[in-house]
């Protein structure tokens, strides 16, 4: 019988916390993601933001790194992104 190990806990504040947001490649998805993230992480460094379109161009992923200050901040950020209806996935 194998032992289950817990995932490592994140220590806050956590600099360069990676987030990937996937949604339809339309209506300035990148701008929407950046504006939403800046509400929760106003010190977002735009040089740490990258965009990748899917093979057929239908979807877009926005990858960024923020300074995560706590679980509550991350929860609110993820909820705001998902509540928009524009985001398919937040990783």
């Amino acid at each position: 019988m194998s032992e289950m190990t817990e995932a490592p806990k994140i220590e806050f504040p956590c600099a360069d916390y990676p987030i990937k947001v996937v949604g339809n490649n339309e209506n300035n998805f990148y701008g929407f993601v950046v504006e939403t993230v800046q509400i929760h992480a106003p010190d977002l460094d735009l040089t740490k933001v990258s965009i990748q379109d899917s093979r057929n161009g239908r979807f877009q992923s926005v990858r960024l790194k923020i300074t995560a200050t706590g679980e509550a901040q991350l929860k609110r950020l993820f909820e705001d992104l998902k509540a928009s209806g524009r985001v398919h996935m937040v990783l």
Side-chain angles (χ1 to χ4, degrees), residues 28-63:
N28 191 17
F29 183 70
Y30 164 82
F32 159 74
V33 171
V34 167
E35 286 177 13
T36 303
V37 169
Q38 285 177 323
I39 292 169
H40 301 279
D43 61 342
L44 174 65
D45 181 353
L46 294 178
T47 64
K48 295 183 180 181
V49 179
S50 65
I51 309 162
Q52 184 173 1
D53 293 340
S54 64
R55 189 176 349 175
N56 65 7
R58 181 175 173 205
F59 301 103
Q60 188 172 72
S61 68
V62 179
R63 296 175 185 187

Side-chain angles (χ1 to χ4, degrees), residues 17-22 62 64 78 81 87 89-91:
Y17 184 86
I19 299 175
K20 180 179 178 181
V21 184
V22 179
V62 179
L64 45 96
F78 285 32
L81 288 167
V87 173
M89 205 173 1
V90 181
L91 305 168

Side-chain angles (χ1 to χ4, degrees), residues 65-84:
K65 293 182 179 181
I66 66 168
T67 299
T69 58
E71 290 181 21
Q73 173 207 31
L74 294 174
K75 183 179 179 188
R76 287 189 308 268
L77 171 58
F78 285 32
E79 287 173 351
D80 282 358
L81 288 167
K82 292 293 286 182
S84 71

